[in-house]
Amino acid sequence: AETAPAAEAEGAVTVTASDVKVGAPVFAADGSKVGEVNRVSADASGSVSAIEVTFGEPASLTAKGFEVPVKEIVSLKDGIKLS
């Protein structure tokens, strides 16, 4: 399993649509990879309200998509880390 580097500063981060790329890896709080970004929900100003994360292998029949509120994102360095 892939692991995320330790976050430099834990806590709320400001997330804009240009910060989040579809296909970017998503990591759990313990650093284990849990999926990847499938869709980004943003308002007209570009502020992200939520991301849709595909858990499991994206091309598999068992993959599941879940919406994650932006308040759960604690780091954008080398992928997206969730709280």
Side-chain angles (χ1 to χ4, degrees):
E2 294 180 45
T3 57
E8 290 179 16
E10 298 286 332
V13 294
T14 301
V15 182
T16 62
S18 62
D19 294 329
V20 182
K21 304 292 184 225
V22 170
V26 178
F27 300 94
D30 67 2
S32 61
K33 184 178 178 186
V34 295
E36 64 182 41
V37 176
N38 188 40
R39 186 174 55 86
V40 179
S41 297
D43 63 20
S45 71
S47 293
V48 173
S49 58
I51 60 172
E52 184 176 299
V53 178
T54 300
F55 294 91
E57 292 300 317
S60 77
L61 295 175
T62 59
K64 302 229 184 287
F66 296 94
E67 189 168 274
V68 177
V70 73
K71 68 181 182 177
E72 299 296 325
I73 299 173
V74 294
S75 175
L76 294 171
K77 184 176 179 182
D78 298 321
I80 296 170
K81 185 175 180 188
L82 304 177
S83 59

